[in-house]
Amino acid sequence: MFTSNNFKYSVLGLFILTFVSQVASQLTLKSWAEVRAQFPNAVTLYNGVASNTNFSMTLHWEVQNNGTSNEVLHMAIAIVTPFTNVAKDKVPKDQFFWPFIGVGFGKSMVNGNEFVLCQLNAAYNATLSERGGTKGYGPPPVSTTTPITKGISGGFITGVFYCEFTRPVSAPGYTSIKTNSLQPILWAFNPTPTKNVNGEWLSYHGIDRRGYLRASSLTTGAIVSAEPVNYSQKQAHGAGMAVIWLLIFPSAVLWSRYLRSVPNWLFIHMGIQTVGASGVLALVSVIAITVNGFDASRPHSVFGIILVVFLVIQVALGVMNLLGLIRDSFRTIRKIARYLHAGLGMFLLVSSIVQVGLGLDLVYPFAFKEDRGIGAWLLYFVLAAFWIAIFVFLELFFRLRIRVPNKKAMTKPVYNPAPKQSVDAYPMTLKSTKKDLGGGGSEGYQGYHVVKNSSVNARNVYNPVMPFPETNPSSMERSIQFTWDSLDKEILKG
C-alpha cells in the first residue's frame, strides 16, 4: 500500500535528486549477478555475520589496458542487505535509508585524498560523485574539478545496493593510482545516515563501518585488509592533551603567579609542570606512531610541533631559573631566564587554547555540528572561558589592589610614630655614655643631642621627623636578593 510517508519520501527524493544531478551522475540498473561476473578479483570489506549486523560490503575490481596510456581501474562496490525478497517500499526506513558507500585512494580521509561516493536516494536511484579530501572527520565535499570517474551502472536490486564505475589511473590534477605497486585504498559505508548542515544525507559512518586496504598489486589481485588509522588512539591523544593544556598547565601557572605565599609553592609548581611536560611527550609519541608520519598540510600538526619545541625551551628556562636560586654563578642568567620563562609561559597558555580547538575540529568538525562532538565542544568552550576569566580577574586584582598600594607605601616618607607631646607628658632622665651611643665626645646620635655622662630632662629632648629613605620595590628587591647558597652563608655568619 502506498502511504503518505512513502509519498513524502518520494517527493523529497525527487527534489534532492534534481539538485544532486548537477554534481553527480545517476546510474542505470543492471543485474547484480551480471555485474559481479565481470570481475576476476573480489574482497569482502565488511562481514555482517562477523560484525553481528545484517550488512556486509564487498569490493570488486580489474585493471583494464594495463601498461598503456589508457589504463583504467574498473570497480564495483556493494552493500549486501538482508532485504533480498523485500519490495523497495517495504524496506524499513530505520535500517536502510539514503545509504552511501565510498572508496578513497590514500591512507586517511584527513590527508586530502580523493573519494568516489555512491548513494541511494529515497527513490532508490543510485548517484555517483567525486569527492575531494577533507581536513577532518567530516563529509568530503563535492570535487570542483572536471570529473574523470565514469559511472556505468548502479542501484538496488535483490537486496544489493551497488555502484559500478571506471577511473583512469592517472590524470592531471588527480591522485595517481598505482596498479603494480603498493596502493592504499579506503572504504566506508553507512546504511542510515542523517542529514547534515549542507542538506546532504551524509553523516559519520562510525568506527566499525570503515577500513583500509593494502593492494600490493591491483593487476594481479594481491590485496589484503589492513588496520586503518586507530581512531580511538586519536581520541585518547586529544583527550589527554586537552587535560594537560587546559587543566594541568594553567593550574601550575596560577600557582606560581598568584599563590607564592603558600609554603613550597616553587616545588609544587615544578611538580605540576613536570607531570604535564612528561604527559605531552608521551602523547606526542603515541600519535606519531598512530598516524605513521607527519602531515605538513594540517595546521594542527604544524602548530603542535612548534608548541612542543617551545615547551622544551620553557622547561630549560625553568631549570636555569632554579639554578640561579641555588648558585651565585647563575644569578645573571637567572635574570634573563625569569623574564623569558614568564613570557613564554603566557604564550604557551594562550596558544594551547587555539591548538586544542584545532585538534577538536579535526576529530569533530565544528562546521558540521554533529551530535557526536557536541559534548566535547561544550566542555572546551567552558574550560577556555573559565581560565580566561580567572587569569584576567586575578591579574587585575593583583595589579590594582595589591601591587599599586604596596608601591605607594614603599615610596611614602615614614615618620617617627612617637608624637611630640608624649615626650612632654612623660618626663624622664636620659643617661648615656660613649659606649652606649657608639660615638665620642658630644656627638649626637640619631637626632638626640646628648652629652657624655650628663643628665638630660626628657622635656628638652628634640623629637625630629625621621624620613625613611625613598625607595621602590625594584631597588629593595635588588638590595635583598640572595641565592640559597649565599643565604646559607649569611645565616651562618649571623
Side-chain angles (χ1 to χ4, degrees), residues 11-26 98 119 121 127 129 131 142 195-196 198-201:
V11 172
L12 179 62
L14 290 173
F15 171 77
I16 297 180
L17 176 61
T18 302
F19 170 75
V20 172
S21 63
Q22 300 173 19
V23 293
S25 59
Q26 184 173 328
W98 279 88
Q119 188 153 35
N121 59 27
T127 57
S129 62
R131 300 277 172 157
V142 176
K195 191 180 264 189
N196 60 36
N198 294 333
E200 295 181 299
W201 292 87

Side-chain angles (χ1 to χ4, degrees), residues 238-252 280 348-357 360 376-388 391:
M241 285 294 194
V243 168
I244 291 173
W245 288 102
L246 296 184
L247 286 176
I248 295 178
F249 281 159
S251 300
V280 167
L348 288 171
L349 206 60
V350 174
S351 299
S352 65
I353 297 177
V354 177
Q355 175 67 351
V356 172
L360 199 57
W377 277 109
L378 181 62
L379 184 59
Y380 166 75
F381 284 123
V382 168
L383 284 175
F386 170 77
W387 285 116
I388 291 173
F391 277 104

Side-chain angles (χ1 to χ4, degrees), residues 11 59 104 155 460:
V11 172
L59 172 67
N460 299 322

